[in-house]
Amino acid sequence: MHPDSEDVQKSVRSYMIVFAMLMVFTLVTVGVARLSFAVPVAIAVALIIAAMKGAMVAGVFMHLSHEKRWVYGTLVLTVVFFAALLLLPVITSLDSLATGNPWVR
Amino acid sequence: MNIPYTVEARPDSGLANGKLGIWLFLASEVMLFGALFSTYILLRVGADTWPHGELSVPLGAVNTIILIGSSVTMVMAWASLKMNNWGRHRMFLALTFLLALVFLVNKYFEYEEHLLAGEGPNHNTFLAIYYTLTGLHGLHIVGGMIVMGYFLGPGAGLWKRNPAQFTNRIEYTGLYWHFVDLVWIFLFPVLYLL
Amino acid sequence: MDLAATHDTPVHDHAHHEDLPFWRKYIFSLDHKVIGIQYAITGLLFLLFGFFLMMLMRYQLAYPGQPIPLIGNWFGADKAPGGIMLPEFYNQLGAMHGTIMVFLGVVPLAVGGFGNFVMPLQIGAPDMAFPKLNMMSYWVYFVGGVVMLGSFFLPGGAPQSGWTSYPPLAVIAPAGQTAWLFGMVFLITSSLLGSINFIVTIVQLRARGLSYMRLPFFVWAQLVTAFLLLLAFPPLEAAAILQLMDRLAGTSFFLPSGLVVSNQVLTGMTGVAEGASRAGGGNALLWQHLFWFLAHPEVYVLILPAMGIVSEIIANNTRKPLWGYRALVYSVIFLGFMSFIVWAHHMFMTGMGTAISAFFQTTTMIISIPSVVILTALLLSLWGASIRFTTPMLFALAFLPMFGIGGLTGLPLGLAPSDIHLHDTYYVIGHFHYVVAPGTIFALFAGVYYWFPKATGRRMNDLLGKIHFWGSFVCINLVFMPMFIQGLGGMNRRLYDGGMQYAHNAELLHWNVVIGFAAWGLGLFQLPFIVNFFASIKWGALVDRNPWQATTLEWSAPSPPGHGNFVTEPVVYRGPYEYSVPGSSTDFTPQFEPEHA
């Protein structure tokens, strides 16, 4: 259901707060990248910050925090399959029968 | 013949048809970009070396800020309609369109710089996945701009005839636009920083 | 809201509804019934064309190197000089047979055709949630089909790297492959738009009283199918883009470094210095992952609507409720979910380690459980039933053991140790054809006979239907059963001469002649169906709203339904399969009939 006019006024404040936080996080991401961490750590940090930014865009701008079950359910399902798509292929190439996977060079 | 729940929400699902429709579409888009991220992972894990510093971080960061800004103006364009302020809605929607255009112009210069140096998609796998990911993302920006252009232009008449339906459509456009922003929020660190 | 049509009676009242010009009423219609029929007829025509492609292949396999009789000179010197099929042409036929049957034939008929026509009627909706999107979905599919067919005329011919289009071969294949990739982009787009429409329609437009657990199983099957299409297709679209980049932009997403083709390092194409390799850094398995991520759920897209159709027909022709409705619903949902995490069972031979192989074997074994539950529920539904052996029921009954054989023969393929011997043999071809051909396609025939009266107001001829059934049933088993024998004997698939060059195939080759004759028989027995279908549109016996005395909502609408479908707003009072309710004066109590006082 759509919030009415007064609720929207309150939402505008949260949009601005989120905007500011997104700016900050962007600068943090760039700053952190300059401190050369080991690759796995760098990846983890970058993705965590990106995930936090994403959560804010999704939760506040896209109103996902008050969304309905069908939307929420579809997205949960999507996230599970997204994770499978990202992880399983690389796992099949890491856990190889040969000493080095000859296809991946 | 009247299709129910095109504007008002169905009581048991709490959704209007278009709302569910756009979220389903976004779910499919998550899988589309997911496949490309999976490609990136597989190719990078299998590579002996992976280029660093090929892309301009400042330009990428500026584009990130531009796109986030456009997300704010987009949600404000919708909020203005909820507050019945047609003028501010027009301003915010036009601003969103403009910011998107600036993003694309920056992208154009970025591509041009590399292409002139002979660094096309065939130069190495990093650039291949870079061009594909940002290219597909760019096409999505163009798509969004076309829809915004429609609502700034010929589609604006719907506000007079059926303000609730027009507001819904702007909301759905906004959802799509925030998604495009979301993809970039992940693209930027992955391609430019890591 | 007003679901009622703005006019009263039903049967042929085109005079009442807005007098649209012919091209808007029948070509660019927004009505789900017209669009459904468009999908169905186009799909059936593609199935027929795919069948012809197979007949050509079967001739070559039965009589390798012999000129194709009568029509051999139609194909030109680049495909069949002197009427003798070139290996390249055989491969084109193979790739196109698979692509056409799966993407242009079965799915458009099962989902676009039956789903579009029947589902809104079964849920009491006036149309789909997004009629314009529905129309667009059909035409985008149509364009995709034209692109695919047009590829036969490109230099180098049609796509010839299998329906699976594996790199590196597909990347260096002639121009037809590019057409395949573009064609797939159209088909995938059509599917995505359609799946969004289906889900929103089912969630949002159900009639009053039609809760989820009162939905006909056909609707549940279409709902899960739509989710499969929605979430599984995009990775193939991405992969198609990547392969297009490899073919057209000189990238190496799928080309490993140091690739040698015909004893030469791969050169040529864009952006490569003279003599340097054009390939590097890519991963051929990446394509396989992205392709099978779609293609495994795709096979459930092929079977689920069929299970839905068969369920409706069995309930109706046993005059009993389906056994285990809840089990069916939970099974189909679980099946849909599992289908996303089994895909690498198509890749057991690619060198993956034992741990991840065990994972995929396990999920593959688990996914057989809901299939068995569904099959068992349908079988148990026959117990104590008053079976009416109508033509749709014959096809629906045959589906059960045929799907059983198809499913059981999948088990040794899903376990890696046995898959080592059976992978890429005719055993695989036998397995999947059993599920799709005497499985799904029989179910689709059943659906045509069953819903033809609703769509046209006339019934099809029963005698012709029975000839169609018995002839097809016998011949189709003669076509596919020998393939298990051939596969177990080690005969490889996709060999243009049937594997003549291999000594171990010598004893197996004669089966190709048997299969060839059986295929001819199968083709001939489709003639009664084709004649019946078109003749009945004009001269079939007229029927009223509910000729099968069925219980689901579509039978409350006129035959055929008018614009807006229902004369008065449909209301649902009970579950979908209230047959032989004790104390009732009739052996069926429709969902839409009000309670008696």
Side-chain angles (χ1 to χ4, degrees), chain B residues 130-162:
Chain B
Y130 158 77
Y131 280 109
T132 310
L133 266 167
T134 56
L136 190 64
H137 179 259
L139 279 175
H140 280 77
I141 299 229
V142 171
M145 287 173 70
I146 291 174
V147 173
M148 285 180 229
Y150 172 75
F151 286 125
L152 280 167
L158 185 62
W159 170 252
K160 288 274 160 56
R161 297 193 306 274
N162 192 336

Side-chain angles (χ1 to χ4, degrees), chain C residues 209-210 214 572-576 578 589-596:
Chain C
L210 190 55
R214 285 179 172 178
V572 169
Y573 300 93
R574 58 186 67 80
E578 297 298 312
T589 311
Q591 281 190 291
F592 47 86
E593 207 175 80
E595 298 285 336
H596 301 298

